[in-house]
Amino acid sequence: MTTHAATQTPELQAFSKDIRSLELSPLWERTVSQKPGTPCVPHHWRWSELEPLLLKSCELIGKKDAERRVLMLENPTLRGQSFIAQTLFTGLQIILPGEVATAHRHTPNAMRFVMKGQGAYTSVGGERSMMLPGDFIVTPNWSWHDHGNIGTEPVIWMDGLDSAFTKFFGATFREDYPTETQPLYRAEGTSAASYGAALLPVDFRPEDGPSPLLRYPYERTREALETLVRNQPLHRAHGAKLRYANPATGKHPFPTMAAFMQLLPRRFSGSAYRTTENTVFNVAEGSGRVVISGQTFDFGPHDIFVAPSWCDYALSAHEDCVIFTYTDRPAQEATGFLREEEL
Ligand code: 1HN
């Protein structure tokens, strides 16, 4: 609300001053106007800079120094606050061959988007899944999870969490599992067989909540997008874009966060778009350009960039680009706050 300034009489000035000692403040003197957007700014992190730093962190931070070796991507306006935008956490995690990231659970929901390397697994709620580049992996809130690398090369993935929400609500809880790793009581692939084949267990009754499907393999996502690019018109702004769905409900994989994958064919030049969603982009394949609020970023594979709420952006592709994104869309849909616009 932009209120017109009240006439500042000496009595009114004294009144405004006096009430401060009672932790009260006059709305009629408030200067912040009510409009979309946040103080956060667009930003681009280059893989060419990120990867050497992640590898270097492995020399400096040993297995016992940290339970997770994670570099947090912070919005330049949120230094020291752990968030890439007001509602989202983004980290890059690296795990070396033979290492284990010990079992714990917490109220924030987490997703992993695998960027590089093979041989790592994550165990979630008693089931292990291998993590392959391009896979989207779900860690529902309060589920026990541990990771390990049983391969021969470092593995790097992006962690996306809704910890800004639990912080906002004062509802952040965490617990360590009593042992380093959790016991596995479901065979690998059980979640995929139960929920990942457009089939559901016969006695299953859908309930709202995080997705029971733990791993969305890149191979299938990529193939679906390829088929759509070949066979149907592209969206002016988004090219071919699909959202990851909770197969039990058709809704988003988390109550707070949505995730998407889009394919922009070579020479695609997208129109501008804006949304109140805060959006984190992770380039799975290809190179191109994005202009966010007038700032131009030339991106390549594994680069990450952020478009905070209501910043307009336009994507274009120099070569075939596959881009993963996640946003706070479900929270804004549930509250009725979401707005979006093609420009
Ligand atoms: C966490 O538990 C993981 O399990 C990664 O790998 C990043 C950032 C904040 C809080 C918990 C993980 C995290 C995290």
Side-chain angles (χ1 to χ4, degrees):
M1 181 168 57
T2 28
T3 48
H4 35 264
T7 317
Q8 285 293 338
T9 62
E11 289 93 328
L12 181 55
Q13 273 171 359
F15 175 86
S16 297
K17 188 161 166 277
D18 289 349
I19 66 173
R20 298 221 193 271
S21 63
L22 294 172
E23 315 310 331
L24 295 167
S25 181
L27 177 65
W28 60 83
E29 284 182 16
R30 196 173 69 169
T31 51
V32 288
S33 60
Q34 294 198 309
K35 58 179 196 313
T38 73
C40 286
V41 292
H43 196 75
H44 173 209
W45 290 263
R46 286 178 187 79
W47 181 244
S48 59
E49 291 172 334
L50 293 170
E51 190 182 27
L53 295 173
L54 285 162
L55 293 168
K56 179 76 180 169
S57 76
C58 295
E59 296 168 23
L60 301 170
I61 300 294
K63 179 60 223 56
K64 296 290 167 218
D65 297 327
E67 57 163 341
R68 301 287 192 270
R69 200 186 286 105
V70 174
L71 285 183
M72 299 185 289
L73 282 70
E74 291 184 333
N75 195 277
T77 65
L78 298 175
R79 282 197 185 156
Q81 293 180 57
S82 308
F83 298 117
I84 195 165
Q86 286 191 163
T87 55
L88 297 173
F89 174 97
T90 305
L92 290 182
Q93 184 159 170
I94 180 165
I95 185 164
L96 296 177
E99 288 184 338
V100 166
T102 55
H104 69 195
R105 65 178 177 181
H106 38 67
T107 44
N109 291 283
M111 69 175 79
R112 327 281 165 200
F113 181 69
V114 187
M115 296 174 69
K116 190 170 178 187
Q118 298 199 9
Y121 67 83
T122 184
S123 299
V124 175
E127 181 176 339
R128 179 183 273 197
S129 305
M130 292 310 289
M131 304 172 84
L132 292 175
D135 289 355
F136 167 66
I137 290 166
V138 164
T139 309
N141 97 328
W142 210 238
S143 53
W144 296 111
H145 54 285
D146 51 272
H147 326 298
N149 185 343
I150 52 177
T152 56
E153 58 189 32
V155 177
I156 298 172
W157 65 78
M158 178 175 73
D159 293 306
L161 280 83
D162 61 4
S163 44
F165 289 85
T166 63
K167 183 181 178 204
F168 185 66
F169 290 122
T172 307
F173 293 86
R174 62 151 283 153
E175 280 180 7
D176 284 314
Y177 197 78
T179 51
E180 276 214 324
T181 57
Q182 65 184 299
L184 301 174
Y185 54 86
R186 266 198 296 266
E188 186 169 346
T190 304
S191 136
S194 304
Y195 306 103
L199 299 166
L200 290 170
V202 65
D203 56 355
F204 182 80
R205 294 288 170 271
E207 266 177 45
D208 279 350
S211 176
L213 182 61
L214 300 176
R215 173 171 173 256
Y216 296 70
Y218 186 50
E219 214 183 348
R220 295 181 59 181
T221 311
R222 181 85 173 71
E223 193 181 299
L225 288 168
E226 275 284 354
T227 303
L228 295 178
V229 160
R230 276 198 301 271
N231 299 315
Q232 74 177 31
L234 298 172
H235 186 283
R236 287 171 54 227
H238 307 308
K241 186 170 181 179
L242 294 170
R243 80 179 160 86
Y244 290 91
N246 174 341
T249 61
K251 298 184 184 181
H252 299 290
F254 303 101
T256 43
M257 297 183 290
F260 310 83
M261 192 77 99
Q262 68 200 111
L263 176 52
L264 311 177
R266 189 170 121 86
R267 300 212 182 90
F268 176 82
S269 178
S271 58
Y273 165 83
R274 66 179 170 180
T275 168
T276 53
E277 292 160 273
N278 293 280
T279 309
V280 176
F281 298 76
N282 186 314
V283 181
E285 288 180 43
S287 64
R289 168 173 289 185
V290 63
V291 181
I292 313 177
S293 293
Q295 278 181 266
T296 300
F297 304 120
D298 287 305
F299 63 78
H302 309 313
D303 283 9
I304 296 176
F305 45 93
V306 61
S309 172
W310 216 235
C311 294
D312 55 273
Y313 65 82
L315 288 159
S316 52
H318 304 327
E319 47 189 344
D320 283 2
C321 285
V322 184
I323 305 177
F324 174 85
T325 52
Y326 72 101
T327 80
D328 51 19
R329 188 179 187 100
Q332 295 200 43
E333 285 176 345
T335 47
F337 299 155
L338 185 83
R339 298 283 187 283
E340 57 186 328
E341 202 166 73
E342 279 179 54
L343 300 163

